[in-house]
Amino acid sequence: MKTNRRDFVKQLGIVSASTAAVPHFNIIKSLNDNKIRIATIGMGIQGFQDTKAALRTDMCELVAAADLYDGRLAHVKETFGNHVFTTRDYREVLERKDVDAVLIVTPDHWHDRISIAALKKGKHVYCEKPMVQNIEEGAAVIAAAKAAGKVMQVGSQRISGAAFQEAKRLVEAGDIGNINFIESTNDRFNAIGAWQYSIPTDASPKTIDWETFLGDAPKRAFDPVRFFRWRNYRDYGTGVAGDLFVHLITGVHFVTGSLGPSRIYSSGQLSYWKDGRDVPDVMVASMEYPAQGKFDAFQMVLRVNFANAGSIKNVTRIVGNEGEITFGGDSLTLTKRKLPAAPGYGNGESFGTFSDAQQKEYLAAYDAKYPADSRTPEPVKEVKFDAPQGDDAHKNHFANFFEGIKDNKPVIEGPLFGFRAAAPVLACNKSYFEKKVVKWDAKNLKLLP
């Protein structure tokens, strides 16, 4: 809202001491076991996926769910059982004493309000990415989590996969040298990929709580397209930046330990999906990351093209001066390549333009400076890493969240970390719509003039 708004691999590092939980863990026990009782607020596509992933940990049980469309509430009972309490009003969920933690999987414009309300009611919070819809909302959510002393995890689950853990190890070990460039593409060419989701035939003001859906967004007449395809509209979502760029930035921050970029610029257009949406289907963003710790400054370029009718080869590359890491699904490839100390001479450069006498003199000096073993590059080395069979990043992310609750430990993506990933993508939107470079103070979490 605008202000004028988880055995997972325990070796995953602590992101920030500020995400640590105060000992407030007081789970209400089930009849036969000691499980964390969860409720999901927002039972759309990601809401069902998140709930199923959480249940795969076998550390929790679903006791309640909220959604604004009656059909989804009916499907909750069809999927998870009639014992699950369902309601249109998320506030009824927050009042329940048998709910220990909530999963907030609503449209983006509700993330901050429900997160803060849940924390104030003493609930642990798992909030989908991006943590907030607008940069100005971040501080209040971070403060609410700190004041409540509850665990909050932000849901960009890819960083809880084995591939990202391995990438972090490789980068920290110096296997690719100093990072200088990162790029990622996430192109699509299909209607569902471009968020033209199915709309039920019974969608109406009777089956949907339209007024609550709007929240603090501008008032308008009932529109089922906006309700079921909310990602396409600035009033409720954050476009391709908040939906897709945020995953890469979260991963980069996890792997490098970076706090964020200092300058962000994005451009693009609405090229193909002219279905009433007001966010671009093509966006390119360039970000400058300043030197931090042992890492030099590097550049990052992100691209989404929902209208790529050509060959789609989505890739994420972390490039250093001694190699690169390329991600592919649940695997990665490390390619190491190191230049020889000797620069070489001859073809394609100025040596051949020297006089005969100068060439002889140059060669004598070159031979004295560069012994034979310094003139041949090391063979290119390629190492492939595949995640262990059964590795489930989504499940792992929830397991990390639940471990944080049970053991009062920091989680991998607490609110500070989550906001530091969200702010740059929200700055991408700001840059796009305002047609300007956005300056960001990642340490102090504020926009700069």
Side-chain angles (χ1 to χ4, degrees):
M1 327 299 295
K2 292 175 182 170
T3 52
N4 288 14
R5 341 204 136 323
R6 205 187 237 204
D7 197 8
F8 173 62
V9 234
K10 293 185 179 179
Q11 55 266 47
L12 288 172
I14 291 174
V15 174
S16 168
S18 69
T19 61
V22 176
H24 278 279
F25 180 61
N26 184 25
I27 287 179
I28 298 172
K29 295 184 178 181
S30 302
L31 292 175
N32 300 316
D33 50 24
N34 185 14
K35 291 189 175 183
I36 296 170
R37 304 183 110 180
I38 66 170
T40 303
I41 299 172
M43 293 302 304
I45 303 166
Q46 194 65 32
F48 273 91
Q49 292 181 356
D50 278 357
T51 303
K52 291 175 181 179
L55 293 172
R56 288 200 298 273
T57 67
D58 201 34
M59 299 174 69
C60 69
E61 62 178 312
L62 180 68
V63 298
D67 197 89
L68 300 178
Y69 168 49
D70 293 345
R72 287 177 174 160
L73 297 179
H75 194 50
V76 166
K77 291 185 178 291
E78 293 167 350
T79 304
F80 302 109
N82 286 324
H83 66 282
V84 178
F85 169 80
T86 59
T87 178
R88 283 184 171 186
D89 191 343
Y90 76 88
R91 294 170 298 183
E92 293 186 3
V93 169
L94 300 186
E95 292 295 335
R96 293 181 66 92
K97 303 302 182 183
D98 60 347
V99 172
D100 304 306
V102 294
L103 282 53
I104 300 172
V105 205
T106 64
D108 301 344
H109 72 305
W110 273 100
H111 284 185
D112 67 317
R113 179 188 293 184
I114 300 179
S115 291
I116 292 171
L119 289 163
K120 288 182 176 180
K121 289 294 183 178
K123 311 301 184 185
H124 302 286
V125 169
Y126 181 103
C127 180
E128 261 304 328
K129 54 75 189 169
M131 187 180 85
V132 293
Q133 188 191 27
N134 297 283
I135 292 176
E136 296 81 2
E137 300 162 1
V141 177
I142 294 170
K146 184 176 181 180
K150 294 296 178 178
V151 175
M152 182 172 180
Q153 175 93 299
V154 180
S156 190
Q157 68 272 3
R158 297 179 188 178
I159 60 170
S160 287
F164 272 99
Q165 183 189 12
E166 178 65 5
K168 182 178 180 68
R169 186 189 70 79
L170 293 172
V171 168
E172 290 181 343
D175 278 24
I176 63 171
N178 274 313
I179 296 171
N180 52 59
F181 181 70
I182 297 175
E183 69 172 342
S184 181
T185 58
N186 199 324
D187 294 350
R188 301 174 178 179
F189 194 54
N190 60 82
I192 294 176
W195 306 332
Q196 285 197 331
Y197 300 144
S198 303
I199 298 173
T201 58
D202 69 346
S204 72
K206 182 178 180 180
T207 61
I208 294 171
D209 186 344
W210 175 251
E211 292 303 315
T212 296
F213 167 77
L214 289 176
D216 62 356
K219 302 302 179 184
R220 61 174 60 243
F222 174 75
D223 186 345
V225 175
R226 282 180 169 256
F227 184 86
F228 288 96
R229 300 177 182 174
W230 58 265
R231 283 176 171 82
N232 290 318
Y233 303 96
R234 296 178 65 189
D235 287 344
Y236 329 112
T238 49
V240 295
D243 198 66
L244 299 172
F245 285 178
V246 69
H247 286 300
L248 178 75
I249 293 178
T250 300
V252 167
H253 290 186
F254 173 68
V255 169
T256 67
S258 175
L259 300 182
S262 55
R263 284 163 48 93
I264 301 103
Y265 178 75
S266 64
S267 62
Q269 73 271 344
L270 180 56
S271 176
Y272 186 90
W273 301 102
K274 298 179 181 180
D275 52 5
R277 70 183 67 197
D278 56 17
V279 293
D281 55 9
V282 177
M283 180 180 275
V284 179
S286 178
M287 303 183 183
E288 297 178 5
Y289 276 73
Q292 180 186 321
K294 65 178 182 178
F295 293 106
D296 291 342
F298 62 86
Q299 306 297 306
M300 182 158 71
V301 175
L302 314 178
R303 186 190 79 219
V304 166
N305 184 354
F306 280 180
N308 186 349
S311 176
I312 296 178
K313 297 179 180 179
N314 291 329
V315 65
T316 296
R317 300 168 62 228
I318 302 178
V319 183
N321 58 10
E322 295 183 10
E324 74 169 12
I325 294 170
T326 304
F327 289 90
D330 296 326
S331 65
L332 63 81
T333 300
L334 166 68
T335 304
K336 291 182 64 67
R337 178 163 33 204
K338 194 172 183 179
L339 292 173
Y345 62 88
N347 294 333
E349 59 98 36
S350 60
F351 175 80
T353 67
F354 301 168
S355 67
D356 290 347
Q358 180 54 221
Q359 288 184 25
K360 290 179 181 179
E361 186 175 333
Y362 181 88
L363 286 175
Y366 188 91
D367 290 342
K369 184 175 182 179
Y370 299 111
D373 61 1
S374 71
R375 304 183 187 187
T376 305
E378 294 181 4
V380 175
K381 299 176 182 178
E382 187 173 276
V383 180
K384 294 183 180 295
F385 171 85
D386 292 312
Q389 186 173 4
D391 183 59
D392 182 339
H394 207 165
K395 169 186 171 182
N396 294 343
H397 208 57
F398 275 102
N400 179 253
F401 173 53
F402 296 144
E403 282 288 341
I405 294 173
K406 293 179 67 176
D407 299 337
N408 299 300
K409 298 193 308 185
V411 292
I412 190 173
E413 194 177 0
L416 180 58
F417 186 102
F419 181 59
R420 284 198 162 119
V425 303
L426 301 177
C428 285
N429 286 334
K430 184 177 180 67
S431 173
Y432 174 82
F433 288 108
E434 298 180 14
K435 300 184 184 302
K436 68 178 185 180
V437 173
V438 176
K439 298 179 182 179
W440 174 243
D441 182 342
K443 181 178 180 180
N444 296 304
L445 306 176
K446 64 182 181 179
L447 292 165
L448 298 176

